[in-house]
Amino acid sequence: MASISMHASAMNQVIPNEIWFSLQSEDSSTMKVVRASHAPDGRKVDVKPILRIIDNILLRASPAIVEGIYEDKGFPEEDMIGRSDVDAKLKTLASIIKRVSSELFAYNNLPLSGTFKSNNVNQTIIPYGATMDCKCSCSGGRDVHTTIMMILDTLSSYSWDAKVVLTVAAFIVNYGHEFLLFTSSEANNSAIAQSIASLKQLRDITDHAKFSKAKIDAIIKLLKVIMAVTRYIVELQNLPLDSIATDESPMSKAIAYIPRAAYWTMLSVVVSASYIASLSGHEESTTELLDLSRLASEGSKIQVILRSYRTIYKEYEDEKSKPAYWDLVKTISSTHSNNMTILKTLLLVDGKQHLVGHTNKRIHIEELRKMNVFLLVSGLDLSKEEIDVLGKLYQEAKTKGEIQYEVVWIPVVETIAWDQEKQQRFEQLLALMPWYAVPAPSKIKAEVVKYVKTEWKFEKNMVLVPLDTQGKFGSLNAIDMLLIRGNKALSSIFSENEESFWETQKTWTLELLLGGIDNNFSLVLDWTKQGTMVCLYGGEDIEWIKEFTSATKNAVTNISPATRMELVYVGKKNAIKEVEKINSEIEKGNNGEKLSRYWSDLTSIWFFWTRLESMLYLKMQQCRNSKNDLIMQELTTLLSYDGSDRGWALFCKGSSEMALARGDVALKSMEEYGKWRDSAVEKGLFPALSNHIIKESQKKQRCSRIILSGDRQEIPNKKLSSDGCQCSMEKCFVYRCCAD
């Protein structure tokens, strides 16, 4: 077998008591030396892309390591910044990461150039970051503190958050793949992984659980704390300068504490690297497990302290903004003759009098004086579908609307979290918008953020707040009303007369279900006007879809060949990725014939389901007795069917004749068409089918569930019931990792 000469004298090293003591005291000689090593030259390193890559690697090695770190921000999306941008940033840091890697190798007493012998051929092996003329002291085992100081010396000109992230990056570069071999179940069964393990002289990784599970679990636990502490260091290091400008500021203590947290992080990284390397050389010792456990315990204490500093910062900022907040509330609550006072109070930042738009367009805020304005409040997680739909309504109002309006976007993100990545995301979203935005989101006043969260109930879902030319606010349900009725709802929105919204729509019709601005909706309505029966269906069970479409075509052909029926797949709520796959399967079809029609534009599917939710939200607020409200019942039933494991189908004839069925009832009705065929010949296809669906649905009633997206606070605890179980539904929370 091939072999690489490796020394492991440092593998069993006990962490000296002096180091444990230094972690307890700010005034220890060790911490004084650590602080003295810090000589920043003013350079600014954007560490967020590096952190994201590290997280992605660890996520694949062991999801438990990154689990829970992003509880208040959500896991960062990989497409937030273009790949080329990330590569360019990493290229500038590659050499420094290599130098830190060399120090880690030096501590583990590994030869920076080794000889690999195989088939009588000598090959030189140079670990990542090492060079043939490397000046590191690698001849003997270096103590852990000396290694940390060497790393700090290498990174002396960098900020504390950059020191920590670059050290963790060097660790991942050298030990991430090796650790992946020991933690990934897929790797354990991989021939490639076994080959790599052989080259690195790792013990048979299929047996690693037997020999090293305790150490691996301990390392995973420690790495989780390392990443949590690293994230807090980055967050606190990037506080606004005015919050740490004086020694009296509460955050000055946080900044003073960061070097100790950084030292612990580097200590933990060096020890973890050593013990991961030792997985290939010997059994774990009690000392190693105690070191790892004690480090994790100390790190948890540091994590709590850093978290408390972040909480103190938020409370400090909130306390500072209290007088300003009540001044703002008083200003907004006063009577105005126009909208300028409110707009300037909410939108002006740093004294700037303009708003920005895509392609660098600008508009002076005074140009909004005689206009109705929608204030769009959201985070940076607006979807393309949301922007597309609102954009169509906006353009329609501009060209042919009786009531015209302008839209101003107010992006609400914690200033403590604002960085170059957030700025790029802001610019990407703004480029998709035909309206304007606050020019510097990071400078939005704290009292404004507090106001939109307190008074407008903004949490995560976007809020659209109407403000008329007289400075009066309209309905806070504006977004729901617009999605349901489009710009026809504007008069109700700006007059805040929500009761009138439903006066013209008291029955459940296909126009209500499919009304709006979408061309796919209009096409379905045109079919029904021409006498064509339509079947809208949804779900994500492709086998059920194949069986149902085949059975439906067969039944219609055998019962009434002259009847034209269009089958249209409308997807499933919050399952866009699955819907894309299903659309492909429908297009592929059987024997070259696609299974049915489908909406290829995913915006149409998003719009369809979001409109239904909007209708339900409005109805829940206004409807006193859901059992007596037909629209409420149909909405609840359709959304509950969508929440089932299989599918559903809605058969439509004309505008008002509709029959809704669960997936199992719809399929069974079509497969057993012989049972209602005579009735269809006598009364017509739709009446016979509708009656049969009602009978089949009543045979076996089922309890229902509805999963509503977002953070709606107005949802009542008990209000809903569907055509299944007649009990009222209980309000509960459903947690999930993502929307798809």
Side-chain angles (χ1 to χ4, degrees):
M1 173 176 290
S3 64
I4 299 177
S5 175
M6 299 176 66
H7 301 292
S9 61
M11 300 309 179
N12 285 317
Q13 180 170 350
V14 179
I15 299 175
N17 289 330
E18 290 81 358
I19 289 183
W20 293 120
F21 173 75
S22 69
L23 292 173
Q24 310 299 322
S25 173
E26 291 286 349
D27 299 323
S28 66
S29 58
T30 298
M31 292 312 304
K32 289 178 180 178
V33 172
V34 168
R35 289 192 181 87
S37 71
H38 187 50
D41 59 7
R43 75 180 73 185
K44 181 64 178 175
V45 178
D46 182 11
V47 297
K48 294 294 179 67
I50 305 175
L51 263 182
R52 186 168 62 251
I53 292 173
I54 293 171
D55 290 335
N56 286 334
I57 293 172
L58 292 175
L59 183 66
R60 286 154 180 78
S62 178
I65 296 174
V66 295
E67 180 185 9
I69 293 178
Y70 305 99
E71 69 270 15
D72 57 345
K73 301 182 189 66
F75 195 80
E77 298 179 20
E78 289 190 33
D79 63 350
M80 193 72 82
I81 300 179
R83 181 72 211 180
S84 59
D85 293 333
V86 175
D87 289 341
K89 292 175 182 178
L90 292 179
K91 188 175 182 180
T92 63
L93 298 171
S95 61
I96 195 68
I97 293 176
K98 289 180 180 180
R99 289 173 62 190
V100 176
S101 297
S102 295
E103 301 299 343
L104 289 176
F105 269 105
Y107 172 68
N108 288 317
N109 201 19
L110 300 178
L112 286 178
S113 58
T115 302
F116 166 68
K117 297 181 179 180
S118 179
N119 298 327
N120 298 318
V121 177
N122 291 342
Q123 297 182 7
T124 300
I125 302 296
I126 303 176
Y128 179 84
T131 60
M132 294 299 292
D133 59 348
C134 180
K135 300 296 188 296
C136 298
S137 58
C138 310
S139 59
R142 226 165 41 190
D143 68 80
V144 64
H145 174 69
T146 301
T147 299
I148 296 172
M149 293 311 301
M150 293 287 285
I151 293 174
L152 285 172
D153 182 63
T154 301
L155 300 173
S156 61
S157 59
Y158 290 85
S159 59
W160 285 107
D161 61 330
K163 294 182 203 290
V164 171
V165 173
L166 292 172
T167 301
V168 175
F171 163 75
I172 292 297
V173 165
N174 285 287
Y175 299 96
H177 186 269
E178 187 166 309
F179 189 59
L180 182 63
L181 292 177
F182 282 95
T183 57
S184 170
S185 58
E186 292 183 7
N188 292 345
N189 297 320
S190 166
I192 295 177
Q194 291 288 354
S195 299
I196 294 173
S198 296
L199 288 173
K200 289 194 170 189
Q201 279 291 276
L202 303 177
R203 67 168 61 111
D204 186 353
I205 59 175
T206 57
D207 293 332
H208 83 270
K210 175 181 177 182
F211 296 105
S212 306
K213 186 178 188 307
K215 185 189 290 186
I216 290 172
D217 289 344
I219 292 173
I220 289 174
K221 182 179 179 180
L222 179 56
L223 286 175
K224 181 171 182 175
V225 183
I226 288 173
M227 294 310 300
V229 169
T230 299
R231 180 64 62 172
Y232 280 122
I233 290 174
V234 171
E235 188 173 359
L236 292 172
Q237 186 71 46
N238 287 278
L239 287 172
L241 292 177
D242 58 356
S243 68
I244 54 176
T246 65
D247 291 339
E248 290 75 24
S249 166
M251 296 320 298
S252 62
K253 294 182 179 180
I255 301 305
Y257 185 79
I258 285 177
R260 198 202 307 186
Y263 184 80
W264 171 88
T265 306
M266 292 181 174
L267 171 65
S268 299
V269 165
V270 172
V271 172
S272 294
S274 173
Y275 289 168
I276 288 174
S278 74
L279 287 170
S280 62
H282 67 283
E283 303 302 326
E284 66 271 2
S285 68
T286 303
T287 299
E288 292 174 350
L289 295 178
L290 286 175
D291 281 349
L292 291 168
S293 177
R294 189 172 178 183
L295 277 171
S297 178
E298 290 295 329
S300 295
K301 296 175 185 176
I302 291 172
Q303 182 181 348
V304 169
I305 292 171
L306 293 174
R307 186 190 298 125
S308 70
Y309 279 131
R310 186 182 68 171
T311 302
I312 290 171
Y313 168 76
K314 291 182 177 180
E315 292 173 350
Y316 174 66
E317 290 295 303
D318 187 55
E319 193 66 28
K320 281 201 314 180
S321 69
K322 275 185 178 180
Y325 173 73
W326 290 115
D327 287 344
L328 182 145
V329 171
K330 183 179 179 180
T331 299
I332 291 178
S333 302
S334 302
T335 302
H336 304 280
S337 59
N338 58 58
N339 58 15
M340 273 296 99
T341 300
I342 292 178
L343 289 176
K344 289 181 178 181
T345 299
L346 295 174
L347 303 180
L348 293 187
V349 295
D350 279 355
K352 296 179 181 178
Q353 297 287 318
H354 66 271
L355 305 170
V356 296
H358 64 294
T359 63
N360 296 319
K361 289 198 304 183
R362 290 189 175 194
I363 182 175
H364 196 282
I365 197 167
E366 281 288 341
E367 295 183 48
L368 303 177
R369 179 179 290 273
K370 296 182 179 180
M371 299 188 70
N372 295 305
V373 178
F374 277 113
L375 301 174
L376 173 59
V377 183
S378 79
L380 296 179
D381 52 357
L382 271 177
S383 68
K384 180 180 181 298
E385 290 78 15
E386 289 171 314
I387 296 173
D388 284 349
V389 169
L390 289 179
K392 287 182 181 179
L393 290 168
Y394 175 81
Q395 300 290 8
E396 181 187 85
K398 287 286 186 184
T399 55
K400 53 185 177 182
E402 294 182 6
I403 301 178
Q404 295 193 357
Y405 55 84
E406 191 52 74
V407 177
V408 179
W409 179 34
I410 306 176
V412 175
V413 179
E414 290 185 62
T415 55
I416 192 173
W418 194 267
D419 52 25
Q420 185 178 355
E421 188 172 314
K422 298 289 191 301
Q423 180 65 28
Q424 288 181 317
R425 178 61 175 168
F426 165 70
E427 293 170 1
Q428 290 169 1
L429 289 173
L430 185 60
L432 301 175
M433 299 174 176
W435 48 76
Y436 298 92
V438 174
S442 62
K443 300 295 180 64
I444 294 176
K445 290 172 284 191
E447 58 267 27
V448 173
V449 173
K450 183 176 180 179
Y451 185 85
V452 301
K453 290 182 176 181
T454 303
E455 302 298 327
W456 296 346
K457 310 301 181 187
F458 170 73
E459 289 186 13
K460 186 176 185 296
N461 279 11
M462 67 175 175
V463 176
L464 199 63
V465 181
L467 179 70
D468 68 13
T469 57
Q470 302 302 308
K472 295 180 181 178
F473 289 108
S475 172
L476 290 180
N477 291 316
I479 184 62
D480 296 317
M481 298 166 76
L482 275 178
L483 291 176
I484 296 169
R485 293 190 60 197
N487 289 324
K488 294 178 182 178
L490 289 175
S491 58
S492 297
I493 290 172
F494 282 101
S495 66
E496 206 173 357
N497 185 6
E498 296 182 18
E499 293 297 330
S500 66
F501 182 79
W502 293 105
E503 287 181 358
T504 59
Q505 192 67 60
K506 296 183 178 180
T507 58
W508 180 246
T509 64
L510 197 58
E511 282 82 2
L512 177 60
L513 181 65
L514 296 177
I517 57 174
D518 194 278
N519 292 332
N520 284 314
F521 296 3
S522 301
L523 182 60
V524 174
L525 293 172
D526 289 342
W527 287 335
T528 59
K529 292 175 183 177
Q530 297 165 7
T532 300
M533 271 188 66
V534 173
C535 174
L536 305 178
Y537 72 95
E540 57 181 338
D541 186 338
I542 188 60
E543 294 306 317
W544 176 86
I545 290 172
K546 290 178 179 178
E547 293 173 9
F548 171 71
T549 52
S550 176
T552 300
K553 291 175 183 178
N554 183 57
V556 173
T557 300
N558 282 280
I559 295 174
S560 180
T563 299
R564 184 185 172 194
M565 177 182 285
E566 291 285 359
L567 288 156
V568 183
Y569 176 66
V570 298
K572 182 178 176 66
K573 182 165 64 73
N574 296 327
I576 293 299
K577 291 182 181 179
E578 287 300 319
V579 168
E580 283 188 285
K581 295 176 183 177
I582 291 170
N583 280 349
S584 299
E585 290 293 323
I586 292 174
E587 178 66 32
K588 186 189 304 181
N590 292 320
N591 300 321
E593 179 184 355
K594 63 182 179 182
L595 302 179
S596 71
R597 294 179 183 267
Y598 59 90
W599 290 342
S600 58
D601 184 359
L602 299 180
T603 299
S604 297
I605 295 173
W606 175 88
F607 189 31
F608 175 79
W609 290 108
T610 304
R611 283 185 75 253
L612 290 180
E613 279 196 1
S614 292
M615 290 184 212
L616 186 61
Y617 288 133
L618 286 184
K619 277 292 182 181
M620 282 193 292
Q621 293 178 68
Q622 299 174 6
C623 182
R624 296 179 180 178
N625 190 341
S626 62
K627 293 184 178 180
N628 295 333
D629 191 303
L630 179 60
I631 295 177
M632 185 80 156
Q633 287 183 16
E634 294 294 335
L635 284 169
T636 305
T637 301
L638 180 50
L639 287 168
S640 69
Y641 285 175
D642 177 69
S644 67
D645 295 331
R646 301 200 76 184
W648 58 271
L650 177 66
F651 299 92
C652 311
K653 181 184 179 185
S655 172
S656 57
E657 294 184 275
M658 292 186 282
L660 179 60
R662 289 194 314 266
D664 56 337
V665 172
L667 178 58
K668 185 177 180 181
S669 297
M670 289 306 177
E671 289 178 337
E672 299 178 353
Y673 68 85
K675 293 183 178 181
W676 51 277
R677 179 173 185 171
D678 292 342
S679 177
V681 172
E682 178 184 350
K683 300 177 181 179
L685 179 62
F686 181 83
L689 173 59
S690 179
N691 289 335
H692 186 77
I693 286 174
I694 293 173
K695 292 178 182 178
E696 289 296 319
S697 298
Q698 291 174 343
K699 287 182 180 179
K700 188 177 181 180
Q701 294 184 343
R702 294 185 178 181
C703 292
S704 305
R705 67 173 182 176
I706 298 177
I707 300 176
L708 298 176
S709 60
D711 44 35
R712 303 284 187 139
Q713 297 182 8
E714 68 272 21
I715 299 176
N717 285 326
K718 290 184 179 180
K719 197 102 176 192
L720 307 179
S721 61
S722 67
D723 72 343
C725 173
Q726 295 303 306
C727 299
S728 294
M729 291 185 178
E730 293 282 351
K731 176 183 176 181
C732 63
F733 295 94
V734 176
Y735 292 91
R736 60 183 176 191
C737 61
C738 56
D740 293 330

